[in-house]
Amino acid sequence: MNEGDPRKLLIDLILIGERQQAMTLLCRSAEAFGWRQTIFTLLEPALEDIGRRWEAEHISLAAGYLAGKIAEEVLLRAAEQEESLPEVKGPIILGNTEDDYHSLGRKLVAIFLRTGGWKVIDLGNDVLAEDFVEAAERHEAKIIGVSAMMLSTAENIAKIRNLLEKRGLSADIKLAVGGAVFKLRPELVAEVGGDGTAANAVDAPGLMARLLGEEARP
Amino acid sequence: MTSMERVLAALSGTPQPRPPFTLALSLYGARLSGCPLSRYFRDAESYGAGQQAVYDSFAPDILFSPFALPLEAEAFGSEVIFLPDYAPNVRKPAVRSAEAFLDLDMPDVDNHPSLLYLRQAIASTAARVHGEVPVCGILTAAVDLPAIVMGIDQWLETLLFDGDRAAAILTRCIDHFAALANAMLHDGAAFIAVPAMFTNPRLVFRRMIDDLILPAMARSFALVRGPIVFHHGGNPMVPFLEDYLDLPGVVGYAVDHRDPLGKARHLLGPEKLLLGNINGPALARLSPQRALAKVDDILHDRQDDYRFIFLNAGADIPLDTPPELLQAISRKITSYTGGM
Ligand code: B12
């Protein structure tokens, strides 16, 4: 354990599955420095590190899930203390594609996007292309994020791309895609008309920033 | 030599000119027989007819029961959606908490229509090939079943934060697993195959695997009255293969396309069957030449390995894979004589 460095300690605690101790560490930091500071200097850097390990497939889905739970709880507590993060970026329209009901990936993406300061409008499971595009227009969103776990449902994403094309929106609205099948078949991103993907939820904020040509928050 | 004899020869390590081969063509039978999937995955005779067509077209040495794990979840009360071009998926889990799971009635393998369908599909397939081609029964690992009965997030939540209920749920799932596996064997399956996901450190913490998951897998396998093939389930397995070697009843291990076969054999030792490993779901993305070259590489790599069975890795071969390619693969393997 890295007793001295709270950031390293937080990472270690998450990686061994110690939710309670990880929360205690974060709460102690919040008492001293406030939630906002804790999020920027402790939680986010730890999550970035976890994202890198996740991408290299060195950590488990359970560890990623735990990190998501912790991030969610921190956001909630910060909000209770009226220290919630201003949702400065976005909005992003998020949902599972038509016929897809595998919500966990999407929910994790939403949590980490919110932790990264993005406003997320989550449309849920089995969202039709029409509904994605209409929501994006209504909320003036510049990104639609779509999750799909299986090849057959991932192929439905092409309908969103076609609709964006048909309405002349492809230049204004980026299409972020993700889910288990994209990790197995990276070429699928281009095939369904995606503008980019991220291998895990922690990397999603970075992807969105890149899609908009923005820097991620330092 | 019949397929059954060929597979038995592999089981005992008897030298033969070519390895037994099969492809995951559960889904694909529907294309060959022109059956809509909503009927194919509900009507056992339609399924059997599809497997008959698979056999007539490609002559694999092993046929499969419906690869439709969500039908087991359906028997517990989950809502299933039939897709036009893929195996059914779970639309809505039966319950959303561990407590509610423990209140569920266990489905009866002798009565529930979804489970009877799986069993009768095996019987229909086996009857059509007159016992000359082994039929493999596929079922959900006891440790994975909760993911489609309560949702993968709730199952993770329970595993992480409610160890007692997780253990109680596993006991239920073990009973179901053993009942279905033994019923499948009774109905004509020569062996069963179990894709396993929550056994893999890519999904859950190592200590959870050691303390809860592997003991549950071992308990469930010990109750099965027939041979078992342990399947990688879409994740690389070789890095963790040693952890699975002591599971009771397992005669073979089916590895991922990213797993090196030589290394897998080394870890398994000489006695176990090794099954692998071209990427099935991605076959159609390869040019026929490249696909066949890969098959060739695998055959040469394994030429002295008499306990090797050629099987594609990953999920079912997708419907849009050209039958000509599958025929060419079948021809390549069945005409191979490098083993002797
Ligand atoms: C666990 C698992 C199961 C479990 C539980 C499934 C469940 N979720 O309900 C069980 C054993 C029950 C199962 C069953 C089946 N499975 Co399964 N399963 C898996 C496995 C191992 C992990 C999937 C998972 O849930 N991961 C956790 C989630 C959170 O991860 P994720 O979806 O990848 O999401 C992350 C990222 O992709 C990203 N992300 C997700 N969405 C988005 C969106 C955006 C915009 C961005 C930027 C990022 C992003 O962030 C997320 C968090 O980090 C994968 C293989 C693999 N290694 O991925 C196969 C896999 C998905 N399954 C597969 C199949 C075929 C099935 C079945 C249809 C098998 C069958 N014939 O019965 C059934 C269907 C069950 C159902 N759900 O209806 C195939 C799909 C193949 C294909 N070509 O489509 C896979 C790929 C395995 C394989 N190689 O064959 N499965």
Side-chain angles (χ1 to χ4, degrees), chain A residues 27-192:
Chain A
C27 290
R28 245 190 258 134
S29 161
E31 274 162 29
F33 309 110
W35 279 110
R36 201 169 293 183
Q37 186 73 1
T38 298
I39 291 172
F40 291 155
T41 59
L42 183 54
L43 181 63
E44 280 200 352
L47 291 180
E48 267 166 36
D49 187 280
I50 285 173
R52 275 193 295 276
R53 293 176 200 233
W54 205 349
E55 183 145 17
E57 305 198 321
H58 290 155
I59 66 162
S60 64
L61 168 65
Y65 178 81
L66 189 67
K69 281 274 142 182
I70 288 170
E72 204 174 28
E73 197 172 334
V74 166
L75 289 187
L76 202 75
R77 294 210 187 183
E80 279 165 13
Q81 308 290 315
E82 288 174 13
E83 272 198 68
S84 54
L85 295 179
E87 288 174 325
V88 287
K89 292 179 274 182
I92 291 173
I93 306 296
L94 196 65
N96 281 70
T97 184
E98 181 182 348
D99 277 346
D100 200 288
Y101 295 89
H102 301 93
S103 54
L104 178 58
R106 167 179 50 83
K107 286 183 189 160
L108 289 174
V109 168
I111 291 173
F112 289 110
L113 283 175
R114 289 185 179 122
T115 316
W118 293 83
K119 181 175 166 68
V120 177
I121 297 167
D122 190 342
L123 303 182
N125 285 333
D126 184 26
V127 181
L128 297 177
E130 286 280 338
D131 297 335
F132 272 116
V133 175
E134 263 160 34
E137 286 191 289
R138 187 156 20 98
H139 296 282
E140 295 179 12
K142 292 195 167 58
I143 302 181
I144 295 176
V146 193
S147 183
M149 199 170 90
M150 308 270 158
L151 174 62
S152 59
T153 57
E155 284 169 344
N156 288 335
I157 297 175
K159 297 182 189 169
I160 307 174
R161 168 55 69 207
N162 292 342
L163 199 59
L164 288 173
E165 285 290 322
K166 210 168 108 193
R167 300 202 184 158
L169 293 169
S170 280
D172 300 326
I173 301 176
K174 300 286 178 200
L175 190 54
V177 300
V181 68
F182 290 100
K183 293 194 277 187
L184 287 169
R185 295 172 63 162
E187 71 281 4
L188 200 60
V189 178
E191 281 172 29
V192 301

Side-chain angles (χ1 to χ4, degrees), chain A residues 54 102 147 150-151 179-180 184 200-201, chain B residues 67 69-70 86 89-90 235 315:
Chain A
W54 205 349
H102 301 93
S147 183
M150 308 270 158
L151 174 62
L184 287 169
N200 62 65
Chain B
F67 182 28
L69 308 179
Y86 209 67
N89 272 205
V90 170
N235 293 290

